[in-house]
Structures are given as C-alpha cells and as structure tokens.
Amino acid sequence: MMEKQALPASSCSLVLLEETKKSPITLSNGGGGSGYAPAAANGSLVPLTVAGTGVAGGVVGTACVGQDKKGGVVNGAGPGYQERETWTRQMDFIMSCVGFAVGLGNVWRFPYLCYKNGGGVFLIPYLLIVFVGGIPIFFLEISLGQFMKAGSINVWNIAPLFKGLGYASMVIVFFCNTYYIMVLAWGFYYLIKSFTATLPWSSCNNEWNTPSCIEIFHHQDCKNASFANITIGSSNMTCADLADARSPIIEFWENKVLNISSGLDEPGKMNWELILCLMAVWVLVYFCVWKGVKSTGKIVYFTATFPYVVLIILLVRGVTLPGAYDGIMYYIKPNWSKLEEAQVWIDAGTQIFFSYAIGLGALTALGSYNRFNNDCYKDAFILALINSGTSFFAGFVVFSILGFMAAEQGVDISQVAESGPGLAFIAYPKAVSLMPVAPLWAALFFFMLLLLGLDSQFVGVEGFVTGILDLFPGKHYHRYKREIAVAICCLLCFIIDLSMVTQGGMYVFQLFDYYSASGMTLLWQAFWECIVVAWVYGADRFMDDVARMIGYRPFPWMKWCWSFITPCVCIGIFLFHLVNYKPLTYNNVYVYPWWGEVIGWCLALSSMLCIPVSLLYKLFRAKGTFKEVSASSPWTTRGDTCYPSNSGKYTLNE
C-alpha cells in the first residue's frame, strides 16, 4: 500500500518535521531566529508553522502548527484535506529520477559532442561543470521539493515575490511534454516497420523512393578526380551525379515518415499513420501517470532499467563488427588543443543542463513525494553518477556501430557521425540494415529508444500535473481530480501535436526544440533558482533546512556554488548563446522566415518573462511604499500567509 504522511502545506517556507528522528543539529548564524522550537518528545524538530494555502494531495488545515502541552504535534488538520503520498520505497524515487533525467539526450547528443569536442578531453570541462553546475542545482531542486512537500509552483512560497519561477518551469515542461513525444511517435512508427523480413529503409524499390536513390555509394571508386565521368555500380550514375544521390534511409525518413514540405508556410496534409502512433503513445503515457506515484513508481522499474539491457546487448554486438575499434578510438581519442576553444566549454555546460533535466520543475515534484528525512544529498550524487555514466557508456555503443557503418561504406567516420534525430532515424537505422538479422537489431534499438523517451515523458507529465494540482487546496478535493487533470493535459498536448504530424510538422517541431526548451531558457531558469535560494531566502538558512531533513550539513561547497559559482556559470553560458545566436535552419539549407523566428522567440519569452512579470505584478499590488515592501521579509505576502515577527515566532498576516 502507498504510505501517506500528513504534512502542512505552508505558504511560508517551513514544513512540519514529523519524520526527523535524529538529534538536534547546531545551526549556523544564517539559521538564527528561524522560529524553530526545541525538539519534541519524539526527537523531531518542530517549527512553529502556519499552514496557509493548501497543497493538493498533501495538506492540512489553515491553523498554526506547534506542540501541544503534552509535547505532541498539533497539525491543525482540517476536514476534507487529502494527505500527500510518499514513495512506497525510496528506490521508487531513484528509478523515477533515473527514468526522467536519463533520456534520449544521453544516447544521441553526448557521444556526438564528445567526439566533436576533442574526444576524451571533453570529459574535463564536462566533469568540471557537473560539480559546479549540474549537481548543485540538481540537489537544490530535489531538496526544495522534499522540504516544501509541494510541486514546482508552490515550492517558491519560500520567496513569494519570485513565484514566477514556478510558473516559468511549468511553461517549459509543458512545451517539452508537447514536442518531445513526437520523437516517441516516430520511434514507435519505426518499431512497427521493423517487424518485416526486409527493412523498408534498406532498399530503393519503394513507392516513396526517387531516381536519385542509391543503396551503395562507392565513394572509394570516386576518390580520383579523373574518373568523374565513369559510371559506377549498377545505378547508372556517374561520380559527378553521386554528389546529389540520396540513400534509401534518408528518403524513407523525409519522403515516407515526414513527407516533408518545402517550408513552414506549407503545412500540407496530415499523416494518418503518425496520428495513430501519436495517439497510442499518449494513451500509454496517460495510463502510466493517471494514478500518480502509485503507478509511476512501479512502471519506471522496467522503463528505466531495460534500456541498459538493450545497450549492453548492442555493445556486445557492436564491438564484434568490423570497424568498431576505429569508431571507438575516434570517440575517445583526446585532442588537447580543443580545450582552448570556448565552444567546447559551452557545449559541456549546455549538455549538463539538458541531460540533468534542470529547470523543468519535474525533479522538484518527484522530491516532494520523498519522506521528509530522506538523504537527498546522497541521492543527488548517485543520480549524477548514473546520468553521466550512462552518457559515456552510450558513446561506446553508438561509435562502435558508426565505425562499422563507416567501414562498410568506405568513408571517414566524420561523414556518418550524427547527433539528435539524425542519429536515431538516419545513421543507426542505416547501420542495422547492414547487419545480419537486421529486423531484430532494428526492433531492439527502437524499443530501447521508445522506453528511454517514455519514462522521461510520463515523469514530465507527472511534474506538470503535480504543479497544477498543488494550486488547488485540499478543500477542492474530487475523487477523480488527478485522472481528469492528466486527461486534460494529455488531450491539450495531443491537439497541439497535430501540427507536427503534417507535412510541415518537422519545421514546427524544430521551432519548439530550438526555442521553447533551449539552452537559454534552462540557463535563465537555473540562474534565478540559485539567486532566489541563496540571496533572497538565504543560503545558510536553506543549508539549515537541509540539515534538519537529512541529519547533517552538506559540504559548504553547495552553498558556495548556489551563491557565486553556479550563477556565474549559468549567466556566462547564457550570454555566450545570446551573442552567438544563429537563426534556425533545417538541414543547414532551409532558413526559417522572419515570422517563424518571431514565433520561436515568443515560445522562449513565454517562460523567461514569467519571472520579471510576476515580480513586478506582486510589487505593484502590494500595499505601502516601495521602500516598505522591499524592506519586508521575503516571506511576507498579502493574504493568509506567515511572516517572522520581532519575537522570532510566526504569525498570521491577515
């Protein structure tokens, strides 16, 4: 059975420490005057707390929380308020975080960046930014959710002026949920097409192929320029024609799967096969999420672990193929001169924020279902090790296959190395088509691809729905509230996705991918998270809060990162992206029209502006002069919330 715990969902930053059964902890100066009472009879530290606006799924009533005369805890639970669920086992949380953070980017983006940026040398900037940016923010988001027992919006009640951070993360994760699932729909389509005796992308004898299609390119026969007019192979093509030739896998991808139009201004007709695949994937996501962590926490045991089984199988197969050694050496061979290039460091930082799923609010939602005294500090390091280790391991799988593909075609590995959808739907399908028993390896790969994306998708939906439900107090309880909310979310995203299954759908997909959840939006979000926690709420105060949860103070490095190092890293990479901004293109050929870029920037600014707009709105709505508002505690808000009084206790701000 799912364990439950009654915790007050305070609109200030304190949470009843009902599970902390450890000895009292010596607080830093930053924790002075926090209003914490002495240890209760059961050994737990009990803050004098006011339960304000409730949190759906885990709230108690709107009354002060403290100790009664007998030393027991008075939680002020009112009628009609639902208790917040917790994970049945802590491993449920670990597997959910692994499933969410370890996704397609680990397999199709990191290996490409590694070979492109100096091979093994790339690990130096990568690991450095892991420790100064990735782990500190990863830990911050999980611990904040665990401490506040709330989703990505209500956790920012610790600093109500900056609650726009929560709304920004909700916008970003909504956009991610909308476009990311298209990769799953494409993968599901390829998986279905893999169950044939002959893979449909392995030959040029199909209705979608053009006269320019050629199965074997014979590049080695055209290295000497004097043979430019010699006919090669059985395709009646000369070496001069070879430059315009297209492989069957590219034609299958562009002519059959996408049926791509000439531009964003030509949406064309819908692909009914892709619509069915999209619908099937969304139905699958719905039934993974609709019961909350009770269902999610169990499903991820399969979706998060089975891809590792497939990766190991593919690695064993890959290293036995001719050319695999050359591919692996191409992947890890160090090029020390690359460390002098700024782009290498920027790529490392951007990859960290992508692969660690930072700034989306889903990690906060997952952490909110932890028991209060869970050691989230240790969990953050374990999850970071799994995430980065998976990325590095996947590179051996990918480049052993690409080495074989390059050897078969007689070309350099750089000509077959791809990143993103190009690797998943062009390079790798081409490689498996050259293997014996090709349909088996194709089915395995696309099944792994589907699982890698599926758990990231449904945990993202879980994070979004948790944030929405937390906006409604428990008194608005409805028996099927979660199921209805998940259904509305899935249906809304599905309707938007219909624009991506048209002939111009790839152009729409790239707009979402390039702008809505780009490096700039995530870096902007991460920067403000650090600033608000470290400088508005107080780094020392939050370190004390963490210590109350886990029983010891984390290494001061975390505080230094939140206060100085990580914000500098985030804003530095952000400014680099801004200065070196390049307009979006498709295949480096099609340039998006000006109005397409306007739509893209609207997607980006829709999340980035949430923070300053919300801040200004609250300032203008507040009563009193600007000096009075700015001089007040960051916890002070209008309405039924709490604020620190002169006595150090917490009182209602009526």
Side-chain angles (χ1 to χ4, degrees):
M1 294 291 291
M2 175 61 59
E3 299 181 14
K4 309 232 178 188
Q5 60 181 162
L7 290 174
S10 173
S11 59
C12 55
S13 66
L14 302 178
V15 178
L16 181 62
L17 311 183
E18 63 175 359
E19 292 193 22
T20 306
K21 301 185 190 247
K22 297 179 173 64
S23 59
I25 299 162
T26 302
L27 302 183
S28 68
N29 292 334
S34 295
Y36 280 84
N42 64 356
S44 64
L45 293 166
V46 183
L48 298 177
T49 310
V50 175
T53 304
V55 178
V59 295
V60 294
T62 54
C64 292
V65 180
Q67 292 177 264
D68 62 12
K69 296 180 180 179
K70 298 179 181 180
V73 176
V74 179
N75 61 21
Y81 284 82
Q82 191 180 13
E83 297 175 342
R84 193 173 189 85
E85 298 172 337
T86 61
W87 304 103
T88 304
R89 290 177 293 274
Q90 196 54 35
M91 186 56 68
D92 294 359
F93 166 70
I94 297 292
M95 298 308 296
S96 295
C97 286
V98 169
F100 180 63
V102 177
L104 299 174
N106 300 75
V107 175
W108 73 17
R109 195 166 186 267
F110 176 85
Y112 175 81
L113 290 178
C114 196
Y115 110 84
K116 170 191 167 187
N117 292 308
V121 170
F122 182 68
L123 294 179
I124 296 176
Y126 179 84
L127 292 175
L128 184 62
I129 297 178
V130 163
F131 285 101
V132 301
I135 294 178
I137 303 181
F138 194 89
F139 171 56
L140 186 150
E141 292 193 357
I142 291 175
S143 58
L144 194 58
Q146 181 172 314
F147 181 67
M148 291 295 291
K149 291 294 177 185
S152 58
I153 296 179
N154 279 356
V155 292
W156 296 108
N157 285 330
I158 63 169
L161 282 178
F162 293 89
K163 203 169 181 178
L165 270 166
Y167 296 114
S169 65
M170 293 290 284
V171 172
I172 296 174
V173 78
F174 176 77
F175 286 148
C176 279
N177 292 338
T178 300
Y179 82 88
Y180 187 83
I181 201 166
M182 282 307 304
V183 180
L184 305 187
W186 294 329
F188 189 54
Y189 183 83
Y190 271 80
L191 178 62
I192 294 173
K193 295 295 183 180
S194 298
F195 294 104
T196 56
T198 303
L199 295 176
W201 57 80
S202 61
S203 67
C204 293
N205 303 322
N206 304 288
E207 59 180 358
W208 56 82
N209 293 124
T210 66
S212 300
C213 181
I214 181 173
E215 296 178 16
I216 303 176
F217 278 74
H218 298 281
H219 286 286
Q220 64 275 14
D221 296 335
C222 297
K223 290 180 180 179
N224 191 329
S226 62
F227 293 103
N229 294 321
I230 301 297
T231 300
I232 58 172
S234 57
S235 58
N236 296 324
M237 282 189 179
T238 64
C239 290
D241 298 328
L242 196 61
D244 298 323
R246 291 159 59 87
S247 70
I249 179 58
I250 291 178
E251 294 206 337
F252 177 78
W253 169 242
E254 294 192 346
N255 298 349
K256 175 62 176 175
V257 180
L258 301 179
N259 193 17
I260 195 164
S261 65
S262 59
L264 184 64
D265 55 344
E266 294 184 21
K269 60 183 180 181
M270 293 185 179
N271 185 331
W272 67 268
E273 290 180 309
L274 277 184
I275 293 176
L276 292 178
C277 290
L278 180 65
M279 188 182 301
V281 177
W282 267 123
V283 169
L284 196 58
V285 169
Y286 175 79
F287 285 108
C288 288
V289 179
W290 70 323
K291 291 297 182 183
V293 294
K294 289 187 292 186
S295 58
T296 305
K298 303 299 178 292
I299 296 170
V300 289
Y301 278 91
F302 176 72
T303 60
T305 56
F306 190 76
Y308 289 96
V309 176
V310 179
L311 280 174
I312 293 172
I313 294 173
L314 292 175
L315 177 64
V316 172
R317 175 56 182 157
V319 296
T320 61
L321 295 170
Y325 176 79
D326 294 333
I328 292 174
M329 291 308 297
Y330 200 87
Y331 168 54
I332 63 175
K333 185 179 179 180
N335 180 0
W336 296 98
S337 64
K338 287 285 188 178
L339 288 177
E340 302 174 1
E341 300 178 12
Q343 186 63 49
V344 174
W345 296 82
I346 300 304
D347 284 346
T350 305
Q351 173 62 17
I352 292 297
F353 285 90
F354 270 118
S355 64
Y356 277 49
I358 288 169
L360 302 178
L363 294 175
T364 305
L366 294 179
S368 72
Y369 295 113
N370 279 337
R371 296 178 180 178
F372 189 79
N373 60 357
N374 171 61
D375 194 346
C376 53
Y377 183 61
K378 179 184 68 176
D379 290 346
F381 282 91
I382 293 174
L383 291 167
L385 178 63
I386 294 174
N387 194 316
S388 298
T390 302
S391 297
F392 189 62
F393 174 72
F396 290 93
V397 179
V398 170
F399 273 85
S400 64
I401 301 297
L402 293 181
F404 161 72
M405 182 177 173
E408 284 290 303
Q409 296 184 0
V411 298
D412 188 73
I413 298 174
S414 61
Q415 294 183 247
V416 297
E418 294 275 358
S419 174
L423 173 66
F425 302 114
I426 296 177
Y428 207 95
K430 175 63 179 176
V432 297
S433 69
L434 302 174
M435 296 181 187
V437 201
L440 171 64
W441 301 110
L444 266 179
F445 173 76
F446 288 112
F447 186 56
M448 177 197 71
L449 195 75
L450 189 62
L451 292 182
L452 275 175
L454 187 61
D455 47 15
S456 297
Q457 179 72 23
F458 67 65
V459 174
V461 173
E462 171 69 36
F464 180 79
V465 172
T466 298
I468 293 295
L469 294 181
D470 281 358
L471 293 175
F472 300 95
K475 61 185 178 182
H476 295 300
Y477 173 76
H478 185 278
R479 182 179 179 183
Y480 298 108
K481 181 169 65 174
R482 162 169 282 277
E483 290 85 345
I484 294 172
V486 174
I488 293 173
C489 173
C490 293
L491 181 61
L492 183 59
C493 291
F494 175 78
I495 293 173
I496 298 175
D497 286 333
L498 292 178
S499 65
M500 302 183 199
V501 294
T502 62
Q503 290 177 276
M506 174 52 80
Y507 304 111
V508 179
F509 173 85
Q510 278 204 322
L511 273 180
F512 274 82
D513 185 44
Y514 194 74
Y515 290 100
S516 67
S518 65
M520 285 197 296
T521 56
L522 299 181
L523 290 164
W524 177 260
Q525 181 79 2
F527 169 78
W528 283 107
E529 286 182 5
C530 292
I531 293 298
V532 171
V533 170
W535 295 101
V536 179
Y537 180 68
D540 282 320
R541 178 182 287 166
F542 190 64
M543 289 286 279
D544 291 340
D545 295 337
V546 172
R548 289 184 176 93
M549 289 192 296
I550 66 178
Y552 60 92
R553 289 183 66 83
F555 188 66
W557 174 257
M558 288 293 174
K559 182 178 69 175
W560 302 336
C561 285
W562 296 335
S563 302
F564 306 104
I565 304 174
T566 305
C568 290
V569 170
C570 291
I571 203 65
I573 301 176
F574 176 85
L575 291 176
F576 184 90
H577 274 289
L578 203 59
V579 171
N580 294 276
Y581 168 77
K582 296 178 181 178
L584 179 60
T585 62
Y586 177 73
N587 276 352
N588 297 319
V589 177
Y590 173 75
V591 179
Y592 278 66
W594 66 268
W595 55 270
E597 284 196 69
V598 170
I599 293 174
W601 277 108
C602 287
L603 293 173
L605 293 175
S606 62
S607 63
M608 297 171 67
L609 290 179
C610 284
I611 302 168
V613 168
S614 175
L615 173 64
L616 293 174
Y617 174 77
K618 287 181 179 292
L619 285 176
F620 283 119
R621 285 291 302 267
K623 296 180 181 179
T625 66
F626 180 78
K627 184 177 180 180
E628 291 172 340
V629 173
S630 60
S632 64
S633 167
W635 293 359
T636 302
T637 59
R638 302 296 174 186
D640 293 334
T641 60
C642 58
Y643 66 96
S645 63
N646 294 332
S647 64
K649 304 300 182 182
Y650 287 82
T651 57
L652 276 176
N653 180 19
E654 299 291 355

